[in-house]
């Protein structure tokens, strides 16, 4: 690490030790690839110092990419264009269906097309601040820097972004920032960006540089002589267990929000790819950092299988309220007079009002519902919903004005709830939406395992403890198009590595472990479905490791998860066979990994006795009940090493030191 | 509500399939159609019978995975995806028939799951703009009239679900293909490859075993994204122009 750079903060010294007895302290962790010098030059310098690979050698080099979302799809297309031999995997039937497709709101870029004072530096600043000073400054700066290239690339691919009358690109302001830097395609930005990447990927398939393996699930990482050399995947249509070997492996397998059972993630989103790598030695960083999104359609009953997000842009025009009195909660909201409504965000945060950051909006919604002032149907023992009311906006802009802006969102809401939001206020409730935690990577996006790279939501690197709206799409494409292709070549310049084949003991062992595990899952023959375990895990996580966490709650959760795990492995029921399409078996494998992850998340949350970013620790608040961060103790990345099934996870700390930005406590009052 | 379900069961691509009857009770009208099938599958799992396999992922109408033929209609009675169909569209006591997409270019893999990889191969044949990463000019270098951008966007919303094929008596994928041809053909970035694109995509389409378009219009009626029929006219126009240009 730099000796020439001057840091604006001191390394933290943790005093508390809440997770004592649940983990083993490990050696400090340093990012050996961390660049130094003036922040604006770091990426340029790194690209220059990275080794080049002779074009003639590239097609002899094999890269496996797990995931075809924005990160994996973009990386596969770009590495294919460069001439590498790429194998691309996804669990869906087509690369185009990766969950990036569902992103609605938009993608940030520091284009400053609006001349409203935006710049790379401002986007960098907003992102570090938004992440509550728990991300690496060099990574974030690079993200802001390449953001502008992303828009150029996408437009050239034919991504139909929204445009103004004059034909230039339109922007909106998003997620409480003061500048308009968000590019969008109606409420379907993720879809349009992903289709762009998908088409670029299919073009490479036609060119013969990329081979796609759809309906394939990665179930194990192959490590040979300390290097990631391949994966074991199951062909989900036939059940065949396949070995794929390469010179480097990229995981771009998305986020693990489904550990909460209910989330805005797609049904198949899972942690298996990254968790299997974790068990093989890759560190899992900040696993407890999850983002809860305030504007989702509330749960309607026990049968619910997933939650639907509505773009946060709705908060630009909708006003959030609940009745002042609990006894009004089952009334028709239109019959509740103005003076009996509590516009609680406007009341508590007069300057930001309904546009406070996601975590604050979410937590306050939970608070008013916990107080018994929630609205909508009873779910369990209370009502989980608050109103998002457009009547003022409709009066101001007309129904047409609202329609032009939110048409598809209003339709979606009506389809799901059966209520017309032009007439009755919408009901919203927070839901798990994104995970900032993920596999630890260095500046080159390489994990601590040589040859294993991690991109997109699957890594931990850019969003600290909280992600700003429209920044995940930016990160996925930055990683996939611009960062990874430039950093992985430094590694591939040393390849091809020693030839290996399926008979290599380490490879054969990896394959056998997958077969054994599948046989185990099928042999338990108990009474409960994988889904029922998943639901139970989700309840535990939401209750104790969700928006608000406390020491006793987390301890209780860890015990409950351990019991659940024991029960899972003795009482699971999976029908069908290993050698055919078997969705119950797929699900069981994923739930098994979620259970292990859930425990680690709770341990991580227990250790971090501070409120920061998206999560709130009951033991760390100001006198006014606001989040209190502890930079003196926790300005570090918590990177967890797998400690074995019988052992404890090992905690490695990477200090977060800043040269270009000064840490401040957030205040939205 | 209580429902009777007639569902196509087929163990694998080569097995002979058949309709099977099941009953589900206490279905709430707030459930989505797929949540209703989740209830059935929990029930089957308890009874020791193999759950019904069906494709789904996002469950919010955007990924294009879900694909059920419900009472002979692709995605069922509403203009939406199967996952966004809710049980309030059905009545207590109703009998519902659920089948996979039927088209020779979409072979059944298991139960309600079909193989739609032919769509990927149609895109491989030319459904893209050839621009390598890093080779792009500034995004504002070429303004695009708002009307063109809007039209391109509207047809680019196709989710690749295949309902158009399933609904078409000819098993044609012309709507899917026309949507892509129109999306890229409306934008300046799509012009250089416009002729080749249409010729190659149509050739691949025919090669995959999709049928020809005879202007019946069932495709657009079934399309959850309301892709209009005029994309097929655009497809034909582009094809004529390309042939005239010597392709
Ligand atoms: C509803 C919703 C709305 C959002 N809106 C926005 C927004 O407006 N702006 C924004 O910036 N961000 C938004 N986000 C966040 C953003 O969409 C995601 O963080 C981002 O798209 C993740 O991209 P990715 O490439 O990392 O992963 P994904 O797109 O999730 O792709 C994961 C890929 O990995 C594959 N995969 C996973 N596991 C395996 C396995 N074991 N074996 C094989 N393949 C596997 C999958 O098949 C898939 O191809 C939103 C997220 C959601 C859920
Ligand atoms: S055109 Fe419509 S029906 Fe056909 S694949 Fe696209 S979205 Fe589905
Ligand atoms: S499951 Fe994604 S569109 Fe229906």
């Amino acid at each position: 690490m730099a000796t020439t750079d001057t840091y604006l903060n001191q390394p933290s010294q943790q005093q508390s030790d809440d997770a004592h007895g649940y983990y083993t302290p490990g050696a400090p962790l340093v990012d050996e690839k961390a660049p130094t010098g003036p922040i604006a030059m770091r990426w340029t310098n790194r690209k220059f110092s990275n080794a080049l690979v002779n074009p003639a050698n590239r097609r002899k080099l094999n890269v496996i990419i797990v995931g075809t979302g924005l990160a994996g799809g973009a990386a596969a297309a770009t590495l294919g264009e460069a001439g590498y031999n790429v194998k691309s995997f996804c669990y869906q039937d087509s690369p185009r269906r990766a969950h990036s497709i569902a992103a609605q709101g938009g993608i940030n870029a520091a284009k400053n097309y609006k001349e409203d004072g935006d710049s790379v530096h401002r986007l960098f600043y907003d992102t570090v601040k938004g992440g509550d000073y728990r991300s690496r400054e060099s990574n974030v700066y690079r993200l802001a820097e390449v953001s502008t290239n992303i828009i150029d690339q996408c437009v050239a691919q034919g991504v139909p972004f929204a445009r103004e009358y004059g034909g230039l690109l339109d922007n909106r302001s998003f997620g409480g920032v003061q500048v308009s830097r968000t590019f969008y395609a109606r409420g379907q930005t993720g879809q349009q960006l992903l289709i762009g990447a998908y088409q670029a990927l299919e073009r490479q398939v036609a060119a013969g540089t990329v081979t796609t393996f759809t309906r394939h699930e990665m179930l194990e990482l192959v490590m040979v002589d300390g290097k990631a050399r391949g994966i074991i995947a199951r062909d989900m249509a036939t059940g065949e267990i396949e070995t794929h070997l390469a010179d480097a492996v990229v995981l771009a397998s998305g986020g693990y929000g489904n550990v909460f059972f209910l989330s805005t993630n797609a049904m198949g989103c899972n942690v298996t790819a990254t968790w299997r790598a974790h068990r093989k030695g890759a560190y899992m960083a900040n696993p407890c950092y999850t983002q809860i999104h305030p504007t989702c359609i509330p749960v309607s009953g026990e049968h619910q299988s997933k939650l639907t997000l509505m773009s946060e842009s709705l908060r630009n025009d909708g006003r959030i309220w609940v009745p002042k009195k609990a006894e009004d909660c089952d009334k028709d909201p239109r019959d509740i007079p103005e003076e009996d409504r509590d516009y609680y965000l406007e009341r508590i945060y007069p300057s930001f009002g309904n546009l406070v950051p996601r975590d604050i909006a979410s937590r306050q919604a939970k608070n008013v519902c916990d107080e018994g002032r929630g609205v909508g149907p009873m779910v369990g023992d209370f009502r989980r919903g608050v109103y998002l009311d457009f009547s003022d906006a409709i009066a101001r802009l007309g129904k047409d004005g609202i329609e032009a802006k939110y048409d598809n969102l209003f339709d979606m809401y009506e389809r799901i709830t059966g209520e017309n939001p032009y007439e009755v206020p919408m009901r919203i409730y927070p839901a798990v939406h994104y995970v900032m935690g993920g596999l630890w990577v260095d500046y080159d996006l390489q994990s601590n395992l040589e040859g294993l790279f991690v991109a997109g939501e699957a890594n931990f690197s850019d969003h600290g403890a909280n992600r700003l709206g429209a920044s995940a799409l930016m990160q996925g494409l930055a990683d996939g198009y611009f960062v990874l292709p430039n950093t992985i070549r430094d590694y591939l310049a040393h390849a091809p590595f020693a030839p290996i084949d399926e008979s290599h003991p380490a490879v054969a062992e990896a394959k056998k472990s997958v077969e054994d595990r599948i046989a185990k899952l099928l042999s338990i023959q108990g009474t409960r479905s994988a889904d029922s375990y998943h639901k139970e895990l989700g309840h535990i996580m939401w209750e104790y490791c969700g928006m608000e966490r406390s020491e006793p709650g987390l301890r209780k959760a860890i015990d409950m998860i351990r019991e659940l795990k024991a029960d899972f492995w003795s009482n699971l029921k999976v029908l069908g066979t290993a050698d055919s399409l078997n969705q119950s078996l797929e699900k069981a494998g994923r739930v098994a990994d979620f259970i292990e992850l859930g425990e680690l998340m709770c341990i991580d949350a227990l250790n971090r006795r501070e409120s920061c970013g998206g999560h709130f620790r009951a033991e760390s608040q100001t006198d006014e009940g606001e989040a209190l961060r502890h930079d003196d103790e926790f300005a570090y990345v918590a990177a967890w090493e797998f400690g074995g099934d019988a052992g404890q996870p090992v905690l490695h700390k990477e200090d977060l030191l800043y040269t270009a930005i000064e840490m401040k406590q957030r205040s939205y009052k | 509500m209580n429902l009777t379900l007639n569902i196509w069961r087929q163990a694998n691509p080569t097995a002979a399939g058949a309709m099977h009857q099941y009953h589900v009770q206490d279905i709430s009208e707030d459930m989505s159609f797929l949540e209703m099938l989740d209830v059935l599958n929990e029930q089957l799992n308890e009874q020791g019978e193999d759950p019904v396999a069906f494709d789904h992922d996002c469950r919010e109408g955007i990924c294009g995975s879900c694909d059920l033929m419900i009472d002979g209609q692709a995605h069922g009675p509403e203009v939406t995806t199967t996952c966004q169909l809710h049980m309030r569209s059905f009545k207590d006591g109703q009998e519902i028939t659920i089948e996979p997409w039927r088209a020779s270019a979409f072979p059944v893999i298991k139960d309600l799951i079909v193989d739609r990889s032919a769509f990927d191969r149609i895109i491989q044949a030319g459904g893209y703009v050839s621009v390598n990463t890093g080779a792009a000019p500034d995004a504002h270098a070429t303004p695009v009239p708002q009307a063109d951008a809007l039209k391109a966007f509207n047809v680019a919303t196709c989710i690749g679900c295949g309902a158009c094929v399933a609904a078409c008596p000819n098993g044609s994928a012309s709507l899917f293909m026309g949507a892509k041809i129109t999306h890229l053909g409306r934008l300046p970035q799509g012009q250089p490859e416009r002729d080749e694109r249409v010729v190659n995509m149509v050739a691949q389409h025919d090669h995959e075993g999709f049928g020809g378009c005879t202007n019946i219009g069932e495709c657009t009626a079934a399309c959850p994204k309301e892709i209009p029929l005029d994309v097929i006219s655009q497809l034909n126009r582009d094809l004529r122009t390309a042939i005239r240009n010597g392709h």
Side-chain angles (χ1 to χ4, degrees):
Chain A
M1 189 166 273
T3 46
T4 48
D5 289 336
T6 335
Y7 299 118
L8 301 170
N9 63 311
Q10 300 291 322
S12 52
Q13 290 292 333
Q14 189 174 337
Q15 307 297 330
S16 64
D17 196 11
D18 285 4
H20 182 80
Y22 290 99
Y23 77 104
T24 312
L29 180 62
V30 175
D31 174 5
E32 307 281 351
K33 308 269 181 49
T36 56
I39 195 152
M41 288 308 295
R42 289 178 186 175
W43 178 230
T44 306
N45 291 341
R46 181 78 193 129
K47 277 189 290 186
F48 183 72
S49 65
N50 275 348
L52 296 173
V53 179
N54 181 329
N57 285 341
R58 293 183 196 159
R59 85 193 132 73
K60 296 180 217 141
L61 299 176
N62 301 301
V63 181
I64 284 173
I65 302 184
V66 180
T68 60
L70 292 182
T78 305
L79 291 174
E81 288 160 8
Y84 297 99
N85 195 15
V86 178
K87 283 183 172 181
S88 153
F89 293 79
C90 66
Y91 69 75
Q92 295 91 344
D93 70 330
S94 166
R96 66 179 291 152
R97 307 201 202 284
H99 195 51
S100 294
I101 199 105
Q104 301 171 352
I107 176 166
N108 287 331
K111 278 285 196 187
N112 194 27
Y113 280 159
K114 296 283 168 221
E115 288 290 347
D116 56 1
D118 199 13
S119 63
V120 166
H121 203 87
R122 189 175 299 280
L123 176 55
F124 155 69
Y125 177 86
D126 287 348
T127 308
V128 174
K129 175 173 175 249
D132 229 5
Y133 307 93
R134 291 295 176 265
S135 49
R136 285 198 197 122
E137 63 172 7
S138 301
N139 291 54
V140 178
Y141 196 92
R142 173 177 66 191
L143 175 65
E145 202 177 326
V146 302
S147 68
T148 58
N149 304 110
I150 296 173
I151 303 304
D152 298 341
Q153 188 64 35
C154 295
V155 166
Q157 290 170 344
V159 170
F161 284 118
R163 288 180 183 265
E164 299 169 337
Y165 286 112
L168 298 180
L169 294 162
D170 193 19
N171 291 124
R172 59 185 174 203
S173 114
F174 202 70
V177 297
Q178 319 284 333
V179 292
S180 285
R181 62 160 75 103
T182 305
F183 294 78
Y184 65 101
R186 186 105 38 97
Q188 278 136 276
T189 316
Q191 179 195 29
Q192 295 309 316
L193 297 175
L194 185 65
I195 295 300
Y198 158 75
Q199 289 172 184
L201 173 77
E202 295 296 355
R203 173 175 166 244
Q204 290 311 304
V205 173
T209 58
V210 176
T211 313
T212 49
F213 295 83
T214 58
R215 290 196 201 276
H216 273 67
E217 183 165 29
M218 168 187 168
L219 294 176
E220 196 52 274
L221 176 70
V222 175
M223 293 292 299
V224 176
D225 299 332
K227 289 191 175 68
R229 293 297 305 272
I231 63 169
I232 309 293
R234 180 170 181 270
D235 178 333
M236 296 155 77
T238 64
E240 194 180 333
I241 305 299
E242 302 172 350
T243 304
H244 296 270
L245 300 172
D247 294 294
V249 176
V250 179
L251 299 184
S253 51
Y256 51 76
N258 274 350
V259 66
F260 290 85
F261 184 70
L262 287 181
S263 82
T264 63
N265 283 5
M267 302 300 286
C269 290
N270 66 89
V271 74
T272 292
T274 50
W275 191 256
R276 293 285 121 194
H278 173 64
R279 291 180 56 101
K280 283 276 170 101
Y283 297 168
M284 181 62 91
N286 303 329
C288 80
Y289 284 172
T290 39
Q291 183 167 79
I292 315 256
H293 199 290
T295 50
C296 299
I297 300 178
V299 179
S300 68
E302 274 301 313
H303 56 266
Q304 191 113 6
S305 61
K306 80 150 282 170
L307 294 171
T308 302
L309 171 91
M310 289 181 300
S311 168
E312 142 167 85
S313 59
L314 289 170
R315 286 200 283 146
N316 288 334
D317 288 301
R319 295 181 69 198
I320 295 176
W321 63 276
V322 290
K324 283 188 179 155
K325 295 176 287 203
E327 58 270 27
D328 282 349
C329 288
D330 52 0
K331 280 195 187 153
D332 184 325
R334 291 166 295 185
D335 296 340
I336 301 176
E338 210 46 41
E339 64 272 18
D340 288 341
R341 301 176 176 191
D342 180 10
Y343 294 89
Y344 57 90
L345 290 177
E346 299 171 23
R347 172 171 58 80
I348 310 173
Y349 308 97
S351 58
F352 279 80
N354 295 300
L355 294 175
V356 290
R358 292 176 174 179
D359 57 313
I360 297 181
S362 299
R363 190 150 35 79
Q364 294 298 359
K366 180 168 189 289
N367 287 346
V368 293
C369 294
D370 288 354
E371 283 168 20
R373 294 194 289 141
V375 298
M378 290 289 250
V379 179
D381 41 5
F382 63 100
R383 297 176 204 278
R384 296 159 206 254
V386 300
Y387 291 124
L388 177 62
D389 196 334
F390 286 86
S391 45
D392 285 359
I394 292 173
R396 192 173 71 242
L397 303 168
K399 190 177 170 221
D400 294 352
I402 292 296
E403 217 167 63
K405 276 180 150 171
Y406 305 116
D407 177 27
N408 59 334
L409 294 168
F410 276 46
D411 284 354
M412 177 173 81
Y413 181 87
E414 182 166 5
R415 210 176 312 114
I416 293 174
T417 62
E419 287 173 7
N420 178 351
Y422 290 104
E423 277 155 26
V424 195
M426 277 185 179
R427 286 174 294 111
I428 55 168
Y429 199 62
V432 171
H433 175 58
Y434 183 84
V435 295
M436 282 75 69
L439 289 183
W440 184 88
V441 287
D442 62 16
Y443 186 69
D444 282 0
L445 303 185
Q446 185 168 209
S447 73
N448 59 304
L449 300 181
E450 239 183 279
L452 180 70
F453 291 77
V454 192
E457 193 174 336
N459 74 28
F460 88 105
S461 78
D462 294 354
H463 306 293
N466 192 27
R467 174 177 70 76
L468 288 182
S471 287
L473 300 182
M474 170 172 72
Q475 185 222 334
L477 289 180
D479 286 2
Y481 284 133
F482 298 105
V483 179
L484 188 97
N486 274 301
T487 57
I488 201 170
R489 65 179 152 84
D490 199 47
Y491 181 74
L492 291 172
H494 306 283
F497 301 112
I500 47 170
D501 61 26
E502 292 205 28
S503 64
H504 188 286
V507 181
E509 193 281 326
K511 183 172 182 194
K512 182 162 185 308
S513 74
V514 168
E515 288 163 346
D516 289 351
R517 189 160 182 265
I518 289 175
K520 175 84 209 283
L521 290 167
L522 285 165
S523 71
I524 302 170
Q525 300 282 350
T527 60
R528 283 183 65 181
S529 69
D531 220 43
S532 79
Y533 286 102
H534 194 186
K535 254 184 206 171
E536 193 174 333
L537 175 69
H539 279 300
I540 300 171
M541 297 303 292
W542 177 253
E543 216 43 61
Y544 302 108
C545 200
M547 271 174 277
E548 183 166 335
R549 297 133 183 216
S550 72
E551 186 184 337
L554 289 163
R555 288 179 191 281
K556 185 167 163 193
I558 294 168
D559 288 344
M560 290 168 84
I561 295 171
R562 287 177 179 173
E563 271 169 41
L564 190 72
K565 181 175 172 184
D567 195 64
F568 178 93
W569 286 102
S570 56
N571 199 18
L572 173 74
K573 178 175 184 180
V574 183
L575 298 171
T577 58
D579 59 357
S580 64
L581 191 152
N582 187 340
Q583 291 176 318
S584 312
L585 178 63
E586 294 160 16
K587 174 97 207 206
R590 294 173 191 163
V591 173
D593 291 333
F594 277 136
I595 293 176
E596 293 182 11
L597 167 75
E599 181 179 333
L600 184 66
M601 288 172 72
C602 291
I603 294 173
D604 185 41
L606 183 59
N607 173 60
R608 192 168 283 275
R609 190 190 181 90
E610 68 162 344
S611 299
C612 102
H615 77 282
F616 188 79
R617 256 301 282 269
E619 291 86 2
S620 181
Q621 45 184 308
T622 64
D623 295 341
E624 294 157 308
E626 292 300 318
L628 182 63
R629 217 175 61 215
H630 284 293
D631 295 335
D632 51 336
E633 289 197 71
F634 294 105
Y636 67 78
V637 175
W640 297 90
E641 180 183 351
F642 183 63
D645 279 314
Q648 290 180 335
V650 182
L651 173 59
H652 300 275
K653 297 179 184 177
E654 180 200 334
D655 284 320
L656 290 167
L657 295 168
Y658 295 92
T659 63
I661 193 163
E662 218 172 320
M663 293 183 163
K664 295 200 181 90
Q665 284 280 349
R666 286 195 312 168
S667 173
Y668 290 94
K669 285 257 169 170
Chain B
M1 50 180 124
N2 301 333
L3 302 163
T4 301
L5 307 173
N6 298 313
I7 301 181
W8 181 261
R9 304 298 312 257
Q10 180 175 338
N12 58 56
T14 50
M19 298 303 288
H20 282 239
Q21 195 166 76
Y22 303 96
H23 300 275
V24 285
Q25 273 89 40
D26 295 329
I27 297 300
S28 131
E29 61 170 30
D30 285 332
M31 284 183 190
S32 69
F33 196 82
L34 299 183
E35 284 167 352
M36 183 275 293
L37 288 180
D38 291 343
V39 171
L40 172 68
N41 276 346
E42 262 307 293
Q43 188 179 307
L44 292 178
N45 197 60
E46 258 161 47
Q47 294 161 359
E49 192 176 337
D50 199 17
V52 179
F54 58 91
D55 259 329
H56 65 109
D57 200 25
C58 74
R59 293 204 178 186
E60 47 184 85
I62 192 75
C63 74
S65 293
C66 60
D67 52 353
L68 300 181
M69 203 64 165
I70 301 167
D71 287 335
Q73 283 178 291
H75 292 306
E78 314 279 343
V79 182
T80 187
T81 56
T82 304
C83 62
Q84 288 291 292
L85 179 64
H86 282 73
M87 296 314 291
R88 62 182 78 90
S89 301
F90 299 88
K91 286 193 295 287
D92 185 29
Q94 198 170 329
E95 191 167 326
I96 306 173
T97 300
I98 310 172
E99 293 167 277
W101 280 174
R102 301 277 188 205
S104 52
F106 288 162
V108 172
I109 298 176
K110 182 179 177 181
D111 296 341
L112 303 171
I113 296 185
V114 299
D115 179 352
R116 288 172 288 188
S117 56
F119 270 11
D120 292 332
R121 291 187 293 274
I122 291 179
I123 297 297
Q124 282 158 27
Y128 48 73
V129 173
S130 294
V131 53
N132 283 1
T133 302
D138 185 87
H140 269 178
T142 317
V144 181
Q146 201 190 37
D148 288 338
L150 199 62
K151 175 70 185 180
F153 170 80
N154 282 337
V155 297
T157 56
C158 162
I159 56 174
C161 63
C164 45
V165 177
C168 176
N170 305 326
S172 171
S174 292
L175 196 70
F176 166 78
M177 204 167 34
K180 188 50 55 194
I181 301 272
T182 309
H183 160 206
L184 297 176
R186 266 294 172 124
L187 296 172
Q189 291 81 7
Q191 299 314 311
E193 295 164 290
R194 191 162 171 180
D195 286 357
E196 286 157 74
R197 176 178 306 121
V198 66
V199 170
N200 294 338
M201 285 175 75
V202 169
Q204 189 65 34
H205 170 273
D206 297 351
H207 176 77
E208 295 289 348
F210 293 105
C213 172
T214 53
N215 288 321
I216 299 171
E218 289 287 343
C219 52
T220 186
C223 174
K225 298 295 149 182
E226 301 177 68
I227 301 295
L229 207 54
D230 68 12
V231 301
I232 301 183
S233 318
Q234 184 70 55
L235 167 77
N236 289 330
R237 258 200 311 279
D238 278 18
L239 188 60
R240 253 191 340 266
T241 311
I243 292 168
R244 217 180 298 122
N245 291 344
H247 279 276

